[in-house]
Amino acid sequence: MAERIRMIGVRAPERGGPCSGASAGSTGPRPAATRAARVLRLPAAAVLATAALGAGPVQAASWTTLSAAAVALWPVLAVAAAVVAGIAAVRSRRTCAELRATVAASAAAEASAVSVAARARADAHAYKSLLGADAPAALVWAGRGAPVEVFGRAPEDLDRELGSASADVAAALARLQAGDGQLARTLAAADGGRLELSGRSAGGAGVLLLRPPGDAPADVPAMEAPAGFVAGACAVLDAAPAPVWLRDGEGRLAYVNPAFAAAVGAASADEARTLGLDLLDGKTRAAAQSAEGAQGAFRQRVRAVTMGQRRQMDVVEVAGPFGVAGMAIDVTQEEAARAETLRIVCAHRRTLDQLTTAVAIFGADERLVFHNAAYERLFDLPAALLDQRPAEGEILERLRTRRMVPEQADFRAWRAQLREAYRAIEPVNDWWHLPGGQMLRVVATPNAEGGVTYLFDDLSEHVALESRYNTLIRIQGETLDGLAEAVAVFGSDGRLSLYNHAFLTLWSLDSRALGEKPHVDAVAAMCRPLHGETSAFARIRHAVTSIGPRETQTLRLERADGRVLDGATQPLPDGGTMVTFRDVTDSVKVERALTERAEALEAADKLKNAFVGHVSYHLRTPLNTLMGYADMLREGLAGPLNARQRDYLEHMRQSSDLLRALIDDILDLATIDAGAMELDLAELDVRETVQGVAEAVRDPLEEAGLSLSVSVDPQAGRFVADGRRVRQILFNLLSNAIAVSPSGGTVSLGAVRRDGALVFTVRDEGPGVPAEVAGSLFERFESRSAGPRHRGVGLGLAIVHSFMALHGGSVTVAPAGRGPDARGTLATCIFPLSGERRSEAAE
């Protein structure tokens, strides 16, 4: 209504009132005497002439002179007279114009005086009506098209008090201004109360009064209170939980309710009145009296001590003919709830600032109320802009220019669709696919206050990871289906989550049954017709469902159909378990065949060794007997022998020696194979050992026409070994060298200490070792003819190899030289000088 009043020129009355006579008199016409003086004003020359004509006889004498002079000067006088006449004419015209202007000003002043008088009458009527009706506000106008003036309230205050009723008041005012009449109606005020609207217009002028419903005109008698009203009001106040009091004109307590007495610590209301206990402190009482004296009412939130506690109270006191009535309402809990709400809101805002989800809250006016740090980072919006509470449309326009909203063919329609969230009931979910490839999940939740809360989740990375995960799952599935092994993956809940085609085929399962992700027990039941009642699946179930430490397990399962499976359980990082089965039936069959063959060979070897041992033992006894009788014959115990008989006995001795050596070798090998060979370790002198062996082969060397070259390193010293076995090793190597060396050649025997080992070498000048037999030189019963004197069953090098192994050493046979013309063979025996190694070898 304020706009309506301003439009038609409402203004407050001026100080002094419209009836002030001083201001009216100051603007009236000039006096008539002044106008007459201005009309009768004459030129100076005319006045002088008139004076001359009225002169006396005394001046007659001089008049003649003047006349003569005038005749002489008549041209000059004529010109002067003409000038004077022109001046008089000009002044006359000016005087006429001034007179006309004065007349017009007088007419205007008269009209203004009439208007002022009419307005004064209207103002007086309004004042009388206002005073007579005791209305808080009045609207007065003096005529049709005249401005409306407001009395009792400023237009802005009246508009604020009326609230939504402003439009009704403006309509009533327009109705009264349009034609003469009267009206009376009741309106709802902004504070929830009621207003009575009454007005009257006549002759274009009128007045419109606004008063509360209880304010009746002076000439209307007020309604009397119903019987028992005071008693009922007192009963209600006595039962009220808020302190209520009434003071008389001298400020003494005339009435207090029990709540007041309890608040001030009095035993009863009479005690509180008698002692004059007050709920408010002195400062608050002084402020209340000052406010009541100026405005008639005091409203303020104060701190007061009630029942020994400091509380927040909303105090209202109203002064009137009845005295001063007051009430105090305890709002401590309300203040605490408000503070707690504020604290919770602040905590929620701090929590929202820590979220990665962008949050923006818009009020009912579609302006930004709150945003968290994630929202500012997501859209890269300046904090200065967001702190100004911009409108949602402004933010969307800014984001549109930066291409941070989805591309739309009709942006206005899309934005209008977004605004539907302000009128929605349920949350609205949407996806924003931004031009840069970013993907946002947007949830618009309507608020109870009329606004909307937006949640923005940047799922770009999540979608990319999900896409890559799905791709990896497909690749994993294809990879598993391509495996020959049967694979099944069980989750942490023991249910089947993944399997390949080989698993279905191996256990003859139906994919539809496995599609429901059965438990491991159900899978075991499906496979039971093939695997039977075995402990394998029990172990698998324990590995899948165990909550303790999990380790990789391997198992072998033999099915009822004869298939043999190797299984394994592998714990997975996500708590699941991968179970694999591999069909090893063919491998097991081959393995078993090989095992059986190896066992048969081992048994045969043991049988051979046992046979050789028994045969050798039983051969040695008759051989010893034969050799003993031969020696007795050779000694002549049975009589003298001729030369031929002695020759025969010599051949018998040689053959017997060879046979005994063969039997000894076989027994040694049998002992070594049985693990019963024991070395008799002792310190040996290298030089003495070499010389003893050289002496033992002297006769074979002479028979073969060979010479022996012995070379012993002066630093060779002593070493720990079995002397008998060392001599046997060197004797066998020298025997082979003598057998393959050509007549007239040289066999070399050497010993040297180097690199923590003692090295014996035997070299011959024979044809060498063919490449095709180099790998089988140390095998048993591998006898190859390398010369006319090389005979044997092939046990010499095997014995050497076994004895060297017992000592922890090694033996090698290689060509003695390089090149196509190189001849001879070099046998090398290396004895380690470490006692620990020799001890291990001897055990």
Side-chain angles (χ1 to χ4, degrees), residues 416-626:
Q417 183 180 0
L418 285 182
R419 296 181 63 187
E420 293 295 328
Y422 288 90
R423 293 178 290 275
I425 300 177
E426 299 295 332
V428 179
N429 295 316
D430 194 8
W431 291 89
W432 286 13
H433 300 273
L434 304 187
Q438 200 172 10
M439 181 176 294
L440 303 180
R441 179 175 176 267
V442 183
V443 179
T445 304
N447 300 332
E449 298 81 5
V452 175
T453 298
Y454 287 98
L455 304 178
F456 299 89
D457 282 327
D458 188 356
L459 301 181
S460 305
E461 185 176 357
H462 173 77
V463 172
L465 289 176
E466 184 177 2
S467 177
R468 289 197 294 268
Y469 173 77
N470 293 333
T471 301
L472 289 176
I473 288 296
R474 289 194 296 270
I475 294 174
Q476 184 183 36
E478 296 294 335
T479 303
L480 291 179
D481 285 337
L483 293 177
E485 293 183 346
V487 179
V489 178
F490 294 89
S492 57
D493 56 354
R495 291 187 171 274
L496 182 67
S497 60
L498 188 64
Y499 59 91
N500 64 349
H501 184 71
F503 183 77
L504 295 177
T505 304
L506 182 64
W507 294 103
S508 300
L509 300 177
D510 187 2
S511 59
R512 290 175 296 180
L514 298 184
E516 299 177 359
K517 296 184 178 181
H519 194 265
V520 63
D521 292 337
V523 176
M526 296 177 189
C527 300
R528 187 170 289 114
L530 291 178
H531 73 77
E533 295 294 339
T534 62
S535 61
F537 266 87
R539 295 177 58 191
I540 293 174
R541 182 186 183 283
H542 181 268
V544 171
T545 60
S546 176
I547 60 176
R550 302 191 304 159
E551 297 179 355
T552 301
Q553 297 185 15
T554 59
L555 52 94
R556 172 158 290 186
L557 178 63
E558 295 188 12
R559 300 196 321 193
D561 59 355
R563 308 297 294 177
V564 180
L565 307 178
D566 273 351
T569 61
Q570 176 64 45
L572 300 179
D574 61 350
T577 304
M578 181 177 65
V579 181
T580 60
F581 295 97
R582 185 164 55 94
D583 189 353
V584 293
T585 304
D586 296 336
S587 300
V588 169
K589 289 181 179 180
V590 173
E591 180 182 356
R592 288 176 178 175
L594 294 176
T595 302
E596 292 174 358
R597 181 183 177 186
E599 291 175 353
L601 292 176
E602 184 177 356
D605 189 59
K606 290 181 179 180
L607 180 61
K608 180 194 66 174
N609 292 334
F611 172 76
V612 170
H614 285 289
V615 170
S616 299
Y617 175 76
H618 291 291
L619 286 177
R620 179 174 291 182
T621 300
L623 179 60
N624 290 335
T625 303
L626 181 61

Side-chain angles (χ1 to χ4, degrees), residues 50 121 242 362 442 548 614:
T50 304
R121 288 192 296 273
F362 292 86
V442 183
H614 285 289

